[in-house]
Amino acid sequence: MSNGKWKKIHVIENIFEMDMIKDAFEKEDLEYSIKEYKDTAYDGLFVLQKGYASLFVREKDEELAKSIV
């Protein structure tokens, strides 16, 4: 049984924003995935290009997730 595909809905700018989003999504019981771009080997090079992280949610939850963000 599949809950739908994952969809990128937001670029997170820093760790503080990431923590607030995680907290809000957990309160709403929303399934999410966060891909962080920090990499110690490159000393944060990709953070400047891509943002701190990308936020993904299931397609079925996209509208609710966007309203929370």
Side-chain angles (χ1 to χ4, degrees), residues 8-22 34-38 44-56 69:
K8 179 179 173 181
I9 64 157
H10 184 66
V11 175
I12 298 169
E13 296 300 322
N14 56 54
I15 194 167
F16 305 107
E17 181 184 10
M18 183 176 72
D19 288 342
M20 290 188 327
I21 289 171
K22 282 181 173 181
I34 294 177
K35 179 180 179 187
E36 294 184 53
Y37 296 117
K38 65 180 182 180
L45 174 66
F46 295 113
V47 171
L48 295 174
Q49 295 175 349
K50 299 181 180 180
Y52 184 80
S54 289
L55 174 64
F56 297 84
V69 172

mmCIF file of all heavy atoms in Angstrom, residues 8-22 34-38 44-56 69:
data_model
loop_
_atom_site.group_PDB
_atom_site.id
_atom_site.type_symbol
_atom_site.label_atom_id
_atom_site.label_comp_id
_atom_site.label_asym_id
_atom_site.label_seq_id
_atom_site.Cartn_x
_atom_site.Cartn_y
_atom_site.Cartn_z
ATOM 1 N N LYS A 8 8.812 17.691 -3.354
ATOM 2 C CA LYS A 8 9.553 18.782 -2.715
ATOM 3 C C LYS A 8 8.657 20.008 -2.669
ATOM 4 O O LYS A 8 8.128 20.439 -3.686
ATOM 5 C CB LYS A 8 10.819 19.087 -3.521
ATOM 6 C CG LYS A 8 11.647 20.220 -2.961
ATOM 7 C CD LYS A 8 12.879 20.431 -3.816
ATOM 8 C CE LYS A 8 13.638 21.652 -3.410
ATOM 9 N NZ LYS A 8 14.828 21.859 -4.257
ATOM 10 N N ILE A 9 8.483 20.569 -1.466
ATOM 11 C CA ILE A 9 7.583 21.711 -1.344
ATOM 12 C C ILE A 9 8.252 22.975 -0.816
ATOM 13 O O ILE A 9 7.664 24.045 -0.875
ATOM 14 C CB ILE A 9 6.369 21.385 -0.447
ATOM 15 C CG1 ILE A 9 6.803 21.102 0.988
ATOM 16 C CG2 ILE A 9 5.550 20.261 -1.026
ATOM 17 C CD1 ILE A 9 5.699 21.320 1.995
ATOM 18 N N HIS A 10 9.482 22.855 -0.301
ATOM 19 C CA HIS A 10 10.075 24.030 0.329
ATOM 20 C C HIS A 10 11.587 23.859 0.456
ATOM 21 O O HIS A 10 12.081 22.756 0.653
ATOM 22 C CB HIS A 10 9.462 24.205 1.725
ATOM 23 C CG HIS A 10 9.914 25.424 2.455
ATOM 24 N ND1 HIS A 10 9.612 26.705 2.051
ATOM 25 C CD2 HIS A 10 10.658 25.561 3.587
ATOM 26 C CE1 HIS A 10 10.144 27.574 2.914
ATOM 27 N NE2 HIS A 10 10.785 26.898 3.836
ATOM 28 N N VAL A 11 12.306 24.979 0.350
ATOM 29 C CA VAL A 11 13.743 25.000 0.639
ATOM 30 C C VAL A 11 13.923 25.659 1.996
ATOM 31 O O VAL A 11 13.506 26.794 2.217
ATOM 32 C CB VAL A 11 14.529 25.778 -0.442
ATOM 33 C CG1 VAL A 11 15.993 25.895 -0.049
ATOM 34 C CG2 VAL A 11 14.395 25.092 -1.787
ATOM 35 N N ILE A 12 14.519 24.925 2.917
ATOM 36 C CA ILE A 12 14.749 25.397 4.285
ATOM 37 C C ILE A 12 16.058 26.170 4.304
ATOM 38 O O ILE A 12 17.072 25.702 3.802
ATOM 39 C CB ILE A 12 14.790 24.197 5.253
ATOM 40 C CG1 ILE A 12 13.437 23.478 5.231
ATOM 41 C CG2 ILE A 12 15.166 24.642 6.654
ATOM 42 C CD1 ILE A 12 13.436 22.135 5.946
ATOM 43 N N GLU A 13 16.028 27.360 4.892
ATOM 44 C CA GLU A 13 17.192 28.244 4.867
ATOM 45 C C GLU A 13 18.190 28.002 6.000
ATOM 46 O O GLU A 13 19.371 28.298 5.841
ATOM 47 C CB GLU A 13 16.750 29.701 4.888
ATOM 48 C CG GLU A 13 15.966 30.107 3.651
ATOM 49 C CD GLU A 13 16.764 29.936 2.363
ATOM 50 O OE1 GLU A 13 17.973 30.202 2.359
ATOM 51 O OE2 GLU A 13 16.146 29.503 1.364
ATOM 52 N N ASN A 14 17.732 27.503 7.152
ATOM 53 C CA ASN A 14 18.656 27.307 8.265
ATOM 54 C C ASN A 14 18.111 26.276 9.252
ATOM 55 O O ASN A 14 16.963 25.843 9.141
ATOM 56 C CB ASN A 14 18.953 28.637 8.966
ATOM 57 C CG ASN A 14 17.693 29.321 9.445
ATOM 58 O OD1 ASN A 14 16.895 28.739 10.167
ATOM 59 N ND2 ASN A 14 17.507 30.563 9.032
ATOM 60 N N ILE A 15 18.918 25.917 10.210
ATOM 61 C CA ILE A 15 18.556 24.872 11.173
ATOM 62 C C ILE A 15 17.377 25.294 12.052
ATOM 63 O O ILE A 15 16.560 24.463 12.447
ATOM 64 C CB ILE A 15 19.781 24.448 12.014
ATOM 65 C CG1 ILE A 15 19.476 23.151 12.754
ATOM 66 C CG2 ILE A 15 20.208 25.562 12.951
ATOM 67 C CD1 ILE A 15 20.690 22.487 13.350
ATOM 68 N N PHE A 16 17.243 26.571 12.328
ATOM 69 C CA PHE A 16 16.147 27.039 13.184
ATOM 70 C C PHE A 16 14.803 26.879 12.474
ATOM 71 O O PHE A 16 13.827 26.428 13.071
ATOM 72 C CB PHE A 16 16.385 28.497 13.601
ATOM 73 C CG PHE A 16 17.710 28.691 14.265
ATOM 74 C CD1 PHE A 16 18.739 29.340 13.605
ATOM 75 C CD2 PHE A 16 17.945 28.191 15.537
ATOM 76 C CE1 PHE A 16 19.990 29.492 14.217
ATOM 77 C CE2 PHE A 16 19.181 28.346 16.154
ATOM 78 C CZ PHE A 16 20.205 28.996 15.490
ATOM 79 N N GLU A 17 14.775 27.231 11.189
ATOM 80 C CA GLU A 17 13.555 27.028 10.401
ATOM 81 C C GLU A 17 13.224 25.540 10.322
ATOM 82 O O GLU A 17 12.062 25.146 10.432
ATOM 83 C CB GLU A 17 13.739 27.607 8.994
ATOM 84 C CG GLU A 17 12.500 27.454 8.134
ATOM 85 C CD GLU A 17 12.698 27.932 6.702
ATOM 86 O OE1 GLU A 17 13.836 28.218 6.281
ATOM 87 O OE2 GLU A 17 11.681 28.000 5.998
ATOM 88 N N MET A 18 14.245 24.701 10.147
ATOM 89 C CA MET A 18 14.034 23.262 10.069
ATOM 90 C C MET A 18 13.393 22.731 11.355
ATOM 91 O O MET A 18 12.443 21.951 11.311
ATOM 92 C CB MET A 18 15.352 22.533 9.803
ATOM 93 C CG MET A 18 15.189 21.034 9.627
ATOM 94 S SD MET A 18 16.725 20.203 9.195
ATOM 95 C CE MET A 18 17.609 20.283 10.757
ATOM 96 N N ASP A 19 13.884 23.173 12.491
ATOM 97 C CA ASP A 19 13.337 22.719 13.773
ATOM 98 C C ASP A 19 11.880 23.147 13.949
ATOM 99 O O ASP A 19 11.059 22.381 14.450
ATOM 100 C CB ASP A 19 14.181 23.236 14.940
ATOM 101 C CG ASP A 19 15.531 22.534 15.034
ATOM 102 O OD1 ASP A 19 15.681 21.442 14.443
ATOM 103 O OD2 ASP A 19 16.427 23.077 15.696
ATOM 104 N N MET A 20 11.541 24.360 13.539
ATOM 105 C CA MET A 20 10.157 24.842 13.654
ATOM 106 C C MET A 20 9.222 24.031 12.755
ATOM 107 O O MET A 20 8.110 23.677 13.155
ATOM 108 C CB MET A 20 10.071 26.327 13.319
ATOM 109 C CG MET A 20 10.713 27.208 14.363
ATOM 110 S SD MET A 20 10.459 28.997 14.173
ATOM 111 C CE MET A 20 10.380 29.271 12.454
ATOM 112 N N ILE A 21 9.671 23.743 11.540
ATOM 113 C CA ILE A 21 8.851 22.961 10.612
ATOM 114 C C ILE A 21 8.657 21.543 11.136
ATOM 115 O O ILE A 21 7.543 21.013 11.118
ATOM 116 C CB ILE A 21 9.482 22.959 9.201
ATOM 117 C CG1 ILE A 21 9.334 24.347 8.570
ATOM 118 C CG2 ILE A 21 8.860 21.882 8.317
ATOM 119 C CD1 ILE A 21 10.095 24.538 7.281
ATOM 120 N N LYS A 22 9.730 20.924 11.621
ATOM 121 C CA LYS A 22 9.615 19.573 12.179
ATOM 122 C C LYS A 22 8.587 19.539 13.307
ATOM 123 O O LYS A 22 7.743 18.647 13.360
ATOM 124 C CB LYS A 22 10.970 19.101 12.733
ATOM 125 C CG LYS A 22 11.951 18.635 11.712
ATOM 126 C CD LYS A 22 13.220 18.195 12.444
ATOM 127 C CE LYS A 22 14.231 17.558 11.559
ATOM 128 N NZ LYS A 22 15.426 17.135 12.310
ATOM 129 N N ILE A 34 13.377 15.269 5.176
ATOM 130 C CA ILE A 34 14.232 16.438 4.993
ATOM 131 C C ILE A 34 15.591 15.968 4.494
ATOM 132 O O ILE A 34 16.206 15.087 5.089
ATOM 133 C CB ILE A 34 14.387 17.233 6.305
ATOM 134 C CG1 ILE A 34 13.042 17.837 6.701
ATOM 135 C CG2 ILE A 34 15.461 18.307 6.167
ATOM 136 C CD1 ILE A 34 13.049 18.586 8.013
ATOM 137 N N LYS A 35 16.034 16.553 3.392
ATOM 138 C CA LYS A 35 17.361 16.255 2.862
ATOM 139 C C LYS A 35 18.248 17.456 3.125
ATOM 140 O O LYS A 35 18.064 18.522 2.542
ATOM 141 C CB LYS A 35 17.308 15.978 1.356
ATOM 142 C CG LYS A 35 18.676 15.692 0.797
ATOM 143 C CD LYS A 35 18.656 15.424 -0.675
ATOM 144 C CE LYS A 35 20.097 15.168 -1.119
ATOM 145 N NZ LYS A 35 20.244 15.044 -2.526
ATOM 146 N N GLU A 36 19.202 17.274 4.033
ATOM 147 C CA GLU A 36 20.122 18.367 4.370
ATOM 148 C C GLU A 36 21.278 18.403 3.377
ATOM 149 O O GLU A 36 21.723 17.375 2.897
ATOM 150 C CB GLU A 36 20.666 18.175 5.785
ATOM 151 C CG GLU A 36 19.604 18.307 6.859
ATOM 152 C CD GLU A 36 20.183 18.208 8.254
ATOM 153 O OE1 GLU A 36 21.131 18.956 8.552
ATOM 154 O OE2 GLU A 36 19.694 17.375 9.021
ATOM 155 N N TYR A 37 21.758 19.616 3.086
ATOM 156 C CA TYR A 37 22.862 19.785 2.141
ATOM 157 C C TYR A 37 24.195 20.069 2.818
ATOM 158 O O TYR A 37 25.181 20.269 2.137
ATOM 159 C CB TYR A 37 22.540 20.911 1.148
ATOM 160 C CG TYR A 37 21.358 20.579 0.286
ATOM 161 C CD1 TYR A 37 20.209 21.347 0.343
ATOM 162 C CD2 TYR A 37 21.377 19.487 -0.560
ATOM 163 C CE1 TYR A 37 19.113 21.043 -0.440
ATOM 164 C CE2 TYR A 37 20.284 19.169 -1.345
ATOM 165 C CZ TYR A 37 19.156 19.949 -1.277
ATOM 166 O OH TYR A 37 18.065 19.644 -2.047
ATOM 167 N N LYS A 38 24.195 20.086 4.145
ATOM 168 C CA LYS A 38 25.475 20.342 4.814
ATOM 169 C C LYS A 38 26.406 19.155 4.575
ATOM 170 O O LYS A 38 25.976 18.010 4.539
ATOM 171 C CB LYS A 38 25.278 20.592 6.306
ATOM 172 C CG LYS A 38 24.763 19.396 7.075
ATOM 173 C CD LYS A 38 24.600 19.716 8.524
ATOM 174 C CE LYS A 38 24.121 18.478 9.262
ATOM 175 N NZ LYS A 38 23.933 18.686 10.652
ATOM 176 N N GLY A 44 30.156 23.344 3.951
ATOM 177 C CA GLY A 44 28.930 24.101 3.725
ATOM 178 C C GLY A 44 28.788 24.722 2.356
ATOM 179 O O GLY A 44 27.906 25.544 2.139
ATOM 180 N N LEU A 45 29.614 24.339 1.406
ATOM 181 C CA LEU A 45 29.568 24.909 0.062
ATOM 182 C C LEU A 45 28.181 24.785 -0.561
ATOM 183 O O LEU A 45 27.661 25.726 -1.151
ATOM 184 C CB LEU A 45 30.603 24.225 -0.835
ATOM 185 C CG LEU A 45 30.577 24.607 -2.315
ATOM 186 C CD1 LEU A 45 30.979 26.068 -2.479
ATOM 187 C CD2 LEU A 45 31.507 23.714 -3.101
ATOM 188 N N PHE A 46 27.533 23.619 -0.412
ATOM 189 C CA PHE A 46 26.243 23.399 -1.056
ATOM 190 C C PHE A 46 25.110 24.123 -0.344
ATOM 191 O O PHE A 46 24.069 24.384 -0.939
ATOM 192 C CB PHE A 46 25.954 21.904 -1.177
ATOM 193 C CG PHE A 46 26.933 21.219 -2.084
ATOM 194 C CD1 PHE A 46 27.838 20.302 -1.576
ATOM 195 C CD2 PHE A 46 26.974 21.517 -3.434
ATOM 196 C CE1 PHE A 46 28.755 19.680 -2.418
ATOM 197 C CE2 PHE A 46 27.892 20.909 -4.280
ATOM 198 C CZ PHE A 46 28.788 19.988 -3.774
ATOM 199 N N VAL A 47 25.295 24.488 0.903
ATOM 200 C CA VAL A 47 24.281 25.253 1.628
ATOM 201 C C VAL A 47 24.087 26.614 0.967
ATOM 202 O O VAL A 47 22.969 27.087 0.821
ATOM 203 C CB VAL A 47 24.655 25.398 3.122
ATOM 204 C CG1 VAL A 47 23.729 26.370 3.821
ATOM 205 C CG2 VAL A 47 24.628 24.047 3.807
ATOM 206 N N LEU A 48 25.161 27.214 0.520
ATOM 207 C CA LEU A 48 25.069 28.512 -0.146
ATOM 208 C C LEU A 48 24.353 28.404 -1.483
ATOM 209 O O LEU A 48 23.636 29.310 -1.892
ATOM 210 C CB LEU A 48 26.465 29.102 -0.360
ATOM 211 C CG LEU A 48 27.246 29.449 0.904
ATOM 212 C CD1 LEU A 48 28.659 29.875 0.551
ATOM 213 C CD2 LEU A 48 26.535 30.530 1.682
ATOM 214 N N GLN A 49 24.520 27.282 -2.172
ATOM 215 C CA GLN A 49 23.919 27.106 -3.487
ATOM 216 C C GLN A 49 22.480 26.616 -3.426
ATOM 217 O O GLN A 49 21.645 27.038 -4.212
ATOM 218 C CB GLN A 49 24.731 26.100 -4.307
ATOM 219 C CG GLN A 49 26.119 26.577 -4.634
ATOM 220 C CD GLN A 49 26.933 25.505 -5.332
ATOM 221 O OE1 GLN A 49 26.547 24.349 -5.393
ATOM 222 N NE2 GLN A 49 28.083 25.886 -5.850
ATOM 223 N N LYS A 50 22.191 25.698 -2.514
ATOM 224 C CA LYS A 50 20.902 25.008 -2.507
ATOM 225 C C LYS A 50 20.003 25.344 -1.332
ATOM 226 O O LYS A 50 18.866 24.913 -1.287
ATOM 227 C CB LYS A 50 21.130 23.491 -2.500
ATOM 228 C CG LYS A 50 21.870 22.965 -3.699
ATOM 229 C CD LYS A 50 22.016 21.472 -3.579
ATOM 230 C CE LYS A 50 22.759 20.889 -4.764
ATOM 231 N NZ LYS A 50 22.895 19.442 -4.655
ATOM 232 N N GLY A 51 20.499 26.073 -0.344
ATOM 233 C CA GLY A 51 19.769 26.269 0.900
ATOM 234 C C GLY A 51 20.236 25.233 1.909
ATOM 235 O O GLY A 51 21.049 24.366 1.594
ATOM 236 N N TYR A 52 19.733 25.319 3.119
ATOM 237 C CA TYR A 52 20.176 24.394 4.165
ATOM 238 C C TYR A 52 19.679 22.978 3.908
ATOM 239 O O TYR A 52 20.396 22.006 4.101
ATOM 240 C CB TYR A 52 19.694 24.895 5.533
ATOM 241 C CG TYR A 52 20.194 24.057 6.678
ATOM 242 C CD1 TYR A 52 21.474 24.224 7.167
ATOM 243 C CD2 TYR A 52 19.386 23.074 7.246
ATOM 244 C CE1 TYR A 52 21.955 23.443 8.198
ATOM 245 C CE2 TYR A 52 19.855 22.292 8.282
ATOM 246 C CZ TYR A 52 21.141 22.470 8.758
ATOM 247 O OH TYR A 52 21.607 21.685 9.768
ATOM 248 N N ALA A 53 18.419 22.867 3.469
ATOM 249 C CA ALA A 53 17.828 21.547 3.255
ATOM 250 C C ALA A 53 16.582 21.682 2.379
ATOM 251 O O ALA A 53 16.067 22.776 2.174
ATOM 252 C CB ALA A 53 17.443 20.931 4.593
ATOM 253 N N SER A 54 16.110 20.549 1.879
ATOM 254 C CA SER A 54 14.849 20.513 1.129
ATOM 255 C C SER A 54 13.835 19.710 1.916
ATOM 256 O O SER A 54 14.171 18.705 2.543
ATOM 257 C CB SER A 54 15.051 19.872 -0.241
ATOM 258 O OG SER A 54 15.784 20.722 -1.082
ATOM 259 N N LEU A 55 12.595 20.164 1.875
ATOM 260 C CA LEU A 55 11.501 19.529 2.595
ATOM 261 C C LEU A 55 10.606 18.792 1.609
ATOM 262 O O LEU A 55 10.161 19.376 0.618
ATOM 263 C CB LEU A 55 10.697 20.594 3.339
ATOM 264 C CG LEU A 55 9.419 20.147 4.035
ATOM 265 C CD1 LEU A 55 9.723 19.163 5.165
ATOM 266 C CD2 LEU A 55 8.662 21.350 4.562
ATOM 267 N N PHE A 56 10.357 17.522 1.888
ATOM 268 C CA PHE A 56 9.516 16.688 1.046
ATOM 269 C C PHE A 56 8.338 16.164 1.867
ATOM 270 O O PHE A 56 8.500 15.834 3.042
ATOM 271 C CB PHE A 56 10.299 15.484 0.519
ATOM 272 C CG PHE A 56 11.452 15.839 -0.374
ATOM 273 C CD1 PHE A 56 12.682 16.179 0.161
ATOM 274 C CD2 PHE A 56 11.308 15.830 -1.748
ATOM 275 C CE1 PHE A 56 13.758 16.504 -0.651
ATOM 276 C CE2 PHE A 56 12.377 16.159 -2.568
ATOM 277 C CZ PHE A 56 13.596 16.494 -2.029
ATOM 278 N N VAL A 69 3.826 25.606 6.372
ATOM 279 C CA VAL A 69 5.110 26.274 6.107
ATOM 280 C C VAL A 69 4.864 27.747 5.915
ATOM 281 O O VAL A 69 5.548 28.587 6.422
ATOM 282 C CB VAL A 69 5.818 25.672 4.877
ATOM 283 C CG1 VAL A 69 7.038 26.496 4.503
ATOM 284 C CG2 VAL A 69 6.237 24.241 5.151
#
